[in-house]
Amino acid sequence: MRTLAGRTALVTGGSRGIGRGIAERLGRDGALVAVHYGRDAEAAEQVVKAIGAAGGRAFAVGAELGVPGDAQALWAGFDAALAAHGGGEGLDILVNNAGIGQYGRIHEVAEADFDRVFAVNVKAPFFVVQHGLDRLRDGGRIVNVSSGVTRVAFPTAVSYAMTKGALNTLTLTLAQELGPRGITVNAVLPGVVDTDINPWLADPQARAAAAGYSAFDRVGEAADVADVVAFLASDDARWVTGQNLDASGGSNLGV
């Protein structure tokens, strides 16, 4: 069922991993998908082609996040590409997925690295939303991709966990702010997902340990998260807002 037919979606970080899964799922559901990428244009075009091969429509938008003027550059590229693809103006679904990881305990994190992870994971989505509000149609959707590390203590990635906690707070605040416009705002909290951002999963012992976090004793796939995002983007989620929705496969339930 093409439940999102006639709608336009933007997925930041849509060229790989969870973002790619989300972009492809929204495309299958009928949305015209803007696949954002930071540096790898070829990867984004591969996603665009995959969406097209499945009967959907998509286009790529490039803009590096975490640098001055990033939100303005992203929206300028989006506006131009949308017009070129006959999509008119405006947006119905914004998925703030782009982000970077950072490992290190509090005594190991350098100030420059701390600033970088906050610039990409917190500042960028904040200003992407701010500059996108005049484009986002009433009744639209914002979905922020957070992390299950906000539910537990995670000392080995303290700065990363802090950024995702900030994203959860932004979700709650925006839901209240944008509710009068009929716009829902929710966050999805994945656990360990088998993407190229986690190359350590190639080690059988590490993978088995990661699988053990979940109640289902397996590592998550991008599609597991993308399906939850697709629900939140649909009309079925019209009465759900301000929620941090766990999509970790029941990770750490017994802890």
Side-chain angles (χ1 to χ4, degrees), residues 55-146:
R57 295 193 302 148
F59 57 88
V61 178
E64 183 178 358
L65 300 182
V67 298
D70 53 2
Q72 295 94 324
L74 171 59
W75 286 117
F78 171 84
D79 291 341
L82 181 63
H85 285 78
E89 298 178 349
L91 181 72
D92 301 285
I93 301 160
L94 171 60
V95 181
N96 286 308
N97 165 78
I100 59 174
Q102 184 179 104
Y103 287 95
R105 296 176 181 271
I106 189 167
H107 60 283
E108 299 170 329
V109 178
E111 185 172 355
D113 294 334
F114 182 93
D115 290 343
R116 174 64 178 163
V117 74
F118 266 83
V120 176
N121 294 7
V122 181
K123 185 177 180 180
F126 182 96
F127 285 101
V128 166
V129 171
Q130 184 191 80
H131 289 279
L133 285 178
D134 59 346
R135 295 169 174 86
L136 191 62
R137 299 186 182 97
D138 290 355
R141 303 283 187 265
I142 297 176
V143 182
N144 298 319
V145 178
S146 177

Side-chain angles (χ1 to χ4, degrees), residues 31-246:
L32 170 61
V33 183
V35 180
H36 162 262
Y37 67 94
R39 299 178 180 176
D40 195 342
E42 183 178 350
E45 288 298 337
Q46 289 176 357
V47 179
V48 169
K49 290 178 181 178
I51 292 172
R57 295 193 302 148
F59 57 88
V61 178
E64 183 178 358
L65 300 182
V67 298
D70 53 2
Q72 295 94 324
L74 171 59
W75 286 117
F78 171 84
D79 291 341
L82 181 63
H85 285 78
E89 298 178 349
L91 181 72
D92 301 285
I93 301 160
L94 171 60
V95 181
N96 286 308
N97 165 78
I100 59 174
Q102 184 179 104
Y103 287 95
R105 296 176 181 271
I106 189 167
H107 60 283
E108 299 170 329
V109 178
E111 185 172 355
D113 294 334
F114 182 93
D115 290 343
R116 174 64 178 163
V117 74
F118 266 83
V120 176
N121 294 7
V122 181
K123 185 177 180 180
F126 182 96
F127 285 101
V128 166
V129 171
Q130 184 191 80
H131 289 279
L133 285 178
D134 59 346
R135 295 169 174 86
L136 191 62
R137 299 186 182 97
D138 290 355
R141 303 283 187 265
I142 297 176
V143 182
N144 298 319
V145 178
S146 177
S147 173
V149 299
T150 59
R151 295 196 298 103
V152 296
F154 205 76
T156 57
V158 58
S159 55
Y160 171 79
M162 288 172 66
T163 67
K164 294 303 185 177
L167 203 58
N168 292 353
T169 299
L170 177 63
T171 298
L172 184 64
T173 303
L174 287 175
Q176 178 75 12
E177 179 80 9
L178 301 179
R181 292 181 54 191
I183 297 170
T184 68
V185 187
N186 294 285
V188 174
L189 283 57
V192 180
V193 179
D194 189 4
T195 69
D196 58 2
I197 200 173
N198 292 317
W200 52 272
L201 288 172
D203 177 79
Q205 288 186 321
R207 188 179 187 89
Y213 296 148
S214 166
F216 303 118
D217 196 30
R218 71 170 176 86
V219 172
E221 302 290 340
D224 296 323
V225 182
D227 290 349
V228 177
V229 174
F231 162 70
L232 292 174
S234 74
D235 288 338
D236 289 344
R238 63 193 176 277
W239 203 237
V240 179
T241 196
Q243 301 305 302
N244 297 322
L245 186 57
D246 185 277

